[in-house]
Structure formats: structure tokens, C-alpha cells
Amino acid sequence: AQVQNAAQFHKLVDDLRNRPASVSHDTLELSDGRVFSRASRPQHLDGQVVGRVWSFLDISDQVRSQKRVLQLSNDLTEELERSKHQSGQLQVLLRAIPEAVWMKDTQGAYLMCNPAFSHNLGREPHDIIGRTDQDFFPRDFHTRLLHHHQQRALIPLRMLGRDAGGHRNCRM
């Protein structure tokens, strides 16, 4: 296999010949994709440099892994940016809807709500997120509301349009 940057490789070898007492450490990239860590030290005998010891270590897998981690990190950063952008768009949409809108997780904790919903509760949205109906309503009402929401979450609704009064009509 050939070294990718032959000129640089030969320059380092020539520099070491001219400075036999120096120590070097670098990386060699071969044209077949392998990567080696290369270290070189002078060999001494009776205080004199009598040669050079070269060590080579194949670090191809490590370099590929590092590149993969970097690529995954870049992909994740891009996805987070897209997610932030979409979240911002969703927040704009939620604020624009005049009816009360909210979303809960499977345990009934609020994940998000719009200003109309928070106004109805008399709370700021950040005071609602992460809490449940139990935090806002009497226990018996909370239990009925939870049961109602669980039942409604299982029934798909079809929007039919608006009635003469402008209210939305839904059918199960």
C-alpha cells in the first residue's frame, strides 16, 4: 500500500536522518484506507545514537469509529435544530388557535397547552406543563375527567365541518 502523502512521509524521514537524536510521532494514512500511528526514537549504545527504533500501530478501526461518532454527532445536532424549528412552529400554531388546546402523556401529565387553555385554568402555561388535572380540579371531578379523556383518546374523531353557529361538528 502507498502512503497518501508521500512527500510529507519522505520529508519526515529526511528530517530524522538530519537530526538523529530527535523523537517523532505522527499518523500515516495509506491509500487503501488504513491508518497507522508511527513513533520513532533514537537507539543509543554507550551514549551514541546507533540507529532508530520505529513503532507502527494500526489505528484504522479507531479512526473510523471517531469519524462515525463525529458524523453521528453532526447528524444529531442537525436533527435537534430541525426539532427546535418544528417546536417553534408548533408553538406559533398553538398560540394562534383560539380554542383551548392541550396535550397529555399517558399518565395524564400536561405536555403542552395553548394560551386559551391556560387562560381557562387561570394559570401560565409553564405552571401547567408537567402537572395533572389532579393539581387543578377536585378529586371526584379529576377522576371523571380522567376517565372521559381516556375514553376519548381511544375513539377516533372525524371532523365534519361547522354548524350554522360556527361550531365544529365531530362524529365518532
Side-chain angles (χ1 to χ4, degrees), residues 85-171:
H85 179 72
Q86 289 173 344
S87 177
Q89 289 175 323
L90 179 59
Q91 290 301 322
V92 168
L93 178 62
L94 280 175
R95 285 193 297 273
I97 298 173
E99 289 89 10
V101 178
W102 70 94
M103 184 172 27
K104 295 180 181 180
D105 65 16
T106 56
Q107 280 71 46
Y110 289 98
L111 298 172
M112 62 174 49
C113 67
N114 70 347
F117 182 80
S118 65
H119 176 75
N120 289 346
L121 275 183
R123 306 284 180 113
E124 292 297 319
H126 66 268
D127 292 329
I128 298 169
I129 306 305
R131 298 175 75 184
T132 66
D133 291 331
Q134 190 173 339
D135 297 313
F136 305 112
F137 303 109
R139 185 166 203 69
D140 64 327
F141 182 75
H142 156 68
T143 303
R144 285 186 311 208
L145 194 59
L146 180 62
H147 178 71
H148 174 73
H149 287 166
Q150 286 172 339
Q151 293 301 322
R152 300 299 257 178
L154 300 175
I155 301 170
L157 296 178
R158 252 188 13 197
M159 296 300 292
L160 298 176
R162 294 184 182 268
D163 63 16
H167 297 95
R168 290 194 178 122
N169 291 321
C170 297
R171 182 172 72 196

Side-chain angles (χ1 to χ4, degrees), residues 43-59:
Q43 181 178 12
H44 294 91
L45 183 63
D46 296 327
Q48 298 292 318
V49 175
V50 295
R52 181 159 288 283
V53 176
W54 293 88
S55 299
F56 296 87
L57 177 63
D58 187 344
I59 58 171

